[in-house]
Amino acid sequence: MFKNHPKGLIPAALSNMGERFGYYIMNAVLVLFLCSKFGLKEETSAIVYSCFYAGIYVLSLVGGLIADKTQNYKGTIIWGLVIMTIGYVVLSIPIFATAENQVWLLTLTCFSLFMIAFGNGLFKGNLQAIVGQLYDDPRYSSQRDAGFQIFYVFINIGGVLAPFVAPMLRSWWLGEHGMAYNASLPALCHEYLSVTDNMSTQNLNNLYALITEVGGNAAGNIKEFCTEYLNVFNTGIHYSFIASVAAMLISLTIFVATKKVLPTPSKKEKGVVENYTKEEKARMASEIRQRMYALFAVLGIAIFFWFSFHQNGTSLSLFARDFVKTDSVSPEIWQALNPFYVIVLTPFVMMFFSWLGRRGKEISTPRKIAIGMGLAGIAYLFLLVFSAIKGYPSADAFKLLPTGDAEAMKTGPWVLFVLYFFLTVAELFISPLGLSFVSKVAPKHLQGLCQGLWLGATAVGNLLLWIGPLIYNACPIWVAWTVFFGVCAISMTVMYAMVGWLERVTK
C-alpha cells in the first residue's frame, strides 16, 4: 500500500491524523452540545455550526494566501496548530450557563470556535498543498491519487476514535454523580427551567418519566435536579476537550520533528518569465486560464456535495438522536461509522482502481467525482424511501408524542450502517480525489491558494448546512432527504456533462 510513495507522506499523514482526532472529538458533539449547554433551538445551534464549519474552509483560503505570499508553508502550519490548541483550551473550561452569564459565555464559546477555525485554516490547506508537492517529483507523480487516498485514511483513523471520547467521558461523569445518560432529557430540563408553569402536560409527564429513568426523584425538587443534571452533563463534555488539546500537542510534536523530510517550496527566480517568447507566454496564460476554469467547475460541484455530506453533523446527527434507538449507544458515536468505513473500504477502492488501470480501463478523476455524486444520491434516496414508508412526521411533531409511542416508532441502527456506507463510498470518490484534482490543475505558484479554493467551496456548502435541520423540524423528514437527493442527482448530471472537457484539461 505504501510502495512507490515519497517518504514524507507518512509524517504528513500522522500530523494530520492527530489534528483530526482532536477536531472530531469536538465536532461530533458540537450541535448537540450547544443545545444541551445553552438551551439553543436546534435550528440556532445548526446556524452556529454552519458558520463555524464554513469559517474553517474560508479561513483555509486565507491560510493558503499567507503561505503562498511568504513561501513559509511549514511555519504557517505550526502557527495553525498553536492557535487551535488555544481554542480547545478555552473550550475545555467548564462554566455552567445561567441566564446571567449566557451572553458572554456563548460569546466566549464562539470565540474559541473562531480560534479553532482560524488555526485550522492555517493548517489544513497548506498541509494538503505540501502533500501535493511531494507528488510533483516525476518518480511519484503516477501515484498521486493513491497518495491522497492513503493520506485520507490517516485522517479517518483519528475520526473513527474521536466520537467515542466525549460520550464516554460524559457518561462516566454522570455515573460519578449517580445519574445516567439520556439524549432527550437536556432539552426538557431547559424547557422546565425557562417556562416551568407553561410547559405542556405531555412534556411535563415525559420529563418526570425520564428523571426516574436516569436515577433522579421525580417527586423531589425538579428545578434543582434539572440544574444539576445539565451542569454534570455538560461538564463531562468539557472534559473531553482536554483530549483535543493533547491531540493538538501530539500533532505539533510530530510535525516539528519530521518537517525536514517535507518539501520546502522555493520562490520563483527573477528573470525566468523574461526568457519566454510572446507566443509561449500566451500559451502559458491560456493553459492557466483553462486550468482555473476547470478548477472552478469542479468547485461548484463540491459545494453541493459538502452541503449534503456534512449533514452528518446536523440533520443526520439529529436523526440518530430522535429516530434511532440509542439505549446503549450515544447518537454522537454513530458519526464514527463514516471514518470506520473510510479505513475499511479505502484499500478495496484503491485495488479496484488499480485493477481497472492494469486492464487499460482507468477511470479519470472527473469521472470518479461524478460517480461519487451518484452514490451520495443513492444514500439519501434510501433514507427518503425508508422515512416515507415508516410514516415519520417532522421532528418537532415527533417530540410531542408520548415517550412510549415515540420509542415504538424508532428504528434500529442498521439504517445508519446502510446510509453511511453509501455516503462514505461517495466520499472516497470525491474528497481525496478532489484534492488530487486540485493539485493536478493548480499552477505551481498558486498551490496553496488553489487548495484554499477547494476548501473555500467546501465552506460555501457548509454555510448552507442549517437548511437541513430547518426542513427536518418543520416538515415530514422525508422532505429533507428529498432535497439532498435532488441536489446530488442534479450535480451528478452536470458533472457527467463536463467530464470530456475536464479530462482534456487535466491531460
Side-chain angles (χ1 to χ4, degrees):
M1 185 175 178
F2 302 114
K3 188 178 180 182
N4 299 323
H5 289 281
K7 64 180 181 179
L9 175 63
I10 300 304
L14 287 172
S15 298
N16 206 35
M17 182 179 75
E19 183 275 331
R20 290 288 86 185
F21 176 74
Y23 171 79
Y24 281 118
I25 289 173
M26 179 272 300
N27 186 66
V29 300
L30 183 55
V31 168
L32 301 181
F33 169 67
L34 291 172
C35 292
S36 66
K37 183 172 180 66
F38 297 104
L40 299 181
K41 291 183 178 180
E42 289 159 4
E43 296 89 341
T44 305
S45 181
I47 290 173
V48 175
Y49 179 87
S50 297
C51 292
F52 164 68
Y53 224 150
I56 286 175
Y57 295 96
V58 168
L59 292 168
S60 291
L61 181 58
V62 176
L65 287 168
I66 291 171
D68 283 334
K69 183 72 174 176
T70 63
Q71 291 290 291
N72 186 9
Y73 287 74
K74 296 176 184 177
T76 306
I77 288 168
I78 290 170
W79 270 110
L81 288 167
V82 170
I83 291 170
M84 277 189 284
T85 302
I86 295 170
Y88 286 119
V89 168
V90 175
L91 203 58
S92 66
I93 301 171
I95 303 173
F96 182 64
T98 64
E100 290 74 27
N101 68 11
Q102 175 110 336
V103 173
W104 72 260
L105 187 56
L106 182 57
T107 302
L108 181 64
T109 300
C110 290
F111 171 75
S112 69
L113 292 176
F114 171 77
M115 294 289 286
I116 294 167
F118 182 55
N120 206 292
L122 296 175
F123 173 86
K124 191 179 181 73
N126 291 312
L127 186 62
Q128 291 169 357
I130 283 180
V131 173
Q133 290 157 8
L134 288 170
Y135 289 89
D136 288 342
D137 187 325
R139 293 175 298 171
Y140 309 116
S141 59
S142 64
Q143 296 294 315
R144 186 182 296 268
D145 279 6
F148 273 99
Q149 286 176 315
I150 292 171
F151 183 72
Y152 210 66
V153 167
F154 277 82
I155 290 175
N156 285 278
I157 291 174
V160 77
L161 298 173
F164 291 88
V165 175
M168 180 184 68
L169 289 174
R170 179 183 58 203
S171 295
W172 164 73
W173 194 240
L174 283 166
E176 288 293 302
H177 290 78
M179 302 175 185
Y181 167 77
N182 184 278
S184 303
L185 189 50
L188 291 172
C189 287
H190 275 293
E191 184 179 354
Y192 183 87
L193 292 174
S194 62
V195 300
T196 309
D197 295 336
N198 295 323
M199 195 170 183
S200 70
T201 302
Q202 184 58 63
N203 280 357
L204 201 56
N205 290 336
N206 288 343
L207 174 62
Y208 293 153
L210 292 180
I211 288 175
T212 302
E213 184 180 309
V214 301
N217 179 13
N221 188 323
I222 302 300
K223 182 177 180 180
E224 183 179 307
F225 174 86
C226 288
T227 301
E228 184 182 6
Y229 189 83
L230 289 173
N231 188 21
V232 175
F233 188 98
N234 292 303
T235 298
I237 300 176
H238 278 292
Y239 289 161
S240 69
F241 299 142
I242 297 173
S244 295
V245 174
M248 292 302 108
L249 294 176
I250 292 171
S251 185
L252 178 61
T253 302
I254 293 172
F255 185 81
V256 171
T258 61
K259 65 179 183 177
K260 289 184 179 179
V261 303
L262 298 172
T264 302
S266 58
K267 294 184 179 179
K268 186 185 286 187
E269 295 179 9
K270 293 181 180 178
V272 172
V273 174
E274 285 70 19
N275 293 331
Y276 293 118
T277 66
K278 253 184 202 180
E279 292 76 12
E280 287 173 329
K281 288 180 184 178
R283 281 199 302 272
M284 290 167 61
S286 176
E287 180 184 350
I288 288 175
R289 279 198 303 273
Q290 286 297 313
R291 285 173 173 267
M292 294 305 290
Y293 291 154
L295 175 61
F296 279 103
V298 174
L299 294 181
I301 299 299
I303 288 172
F304 295 108
F305 173 71
W306 294 118
F307 165 56
S308 303
F309 180 80
H310 279 154
Q311 291 297 319
N312 61 349
T314 54
S315 60
L316 293 179
S317 184
L318 298 174
F319 173 77
R321 183 197 66 185
D322 298 334
F323 290 92
V324 178
K325 294 178 181 177
T326 56
D327 299 337
S328 56
V329 180
S330 299
E332 301 94 338
I333 289 178
W334 293 113
Q335 290 190 45
L337 281 175
N338 169 239
F340 170 76
Y341 276 140
V342 168
I343 295 167
V344 172
L345 296 176
T346 293
F348 294 101
V349 172
M350 291 177 65
M351 286 190 290
F352 175 67
F353 289 156
S354 178
W355 177 76
L356 288 176
R358 290 195 300 270
R359 294 173 62 88
K361 298 180 180 179
E362 184 174 355
I363 304 174
S364 67
T365 301
R367 196 173 295 272
K368 290 172 184 174
I369 293 172
I371 293 170
M373 290 305 304
L375 291 168
I378 290 174
Y380 280 107
L381 178 61
F382 159 74
L383 199 55
L384 184 170
V385 173
F386 175 81
S387 298
I389 291 173
K390 293 284 286 186
Y392 285 146
S394 68
D396 281 349
F398 186 77
K399 291 169 194 170
L400 294 176
L401 296 174
T403 302
D405 293 348
E407 285 296 320
M409 290 183 67
K410 290 185 178 182
T411 185
W414 68 270
V415 173
L416 298 176
F417 279 91
V418 175
L419 171 70
Y420 279 110
F421 173 82
F422 283 106
L423 281 178
T424 301
V425 178
E427 181 188 9
L428 292 176
F429 272 73
I430 294 178
S431 188
L433 300 178
L435 297 176
S436 177
F437 179 84
V438 172
S439 70
K440 285 178 185 176
V441 301
K444 300 302 179 188
H445 62 294
L446 296 175
Q447 282 286 327
L449 174 61
C450 289
Q451 289 288 349
L453 286 172
W454 168 263
L455 298 170
T458 311
V460 177
N462 291 337
L463 202 56
L464 303 173
L465 293 178
W466 59 272
I467 295 174
L470 185 67
I471 303 172
Y472 170 85
N473 280 323
C475 306
I477 61 172
W478 63 266
V479 176
W481 316 141
T482 301
V483 170
F484 300 122
F485 167 67
V487 164
C488 293
I490 293 170
S491 298
M492 177 193 69
T493 303
V494 172
M495 190 68 190
Y496 266 119
M498 299 190 299
V499 160
W501 167 57
L502 293 172
E503 288 174 341
R504 290 192 297 274
V505 172
T506 53
K507 279 183 180 177

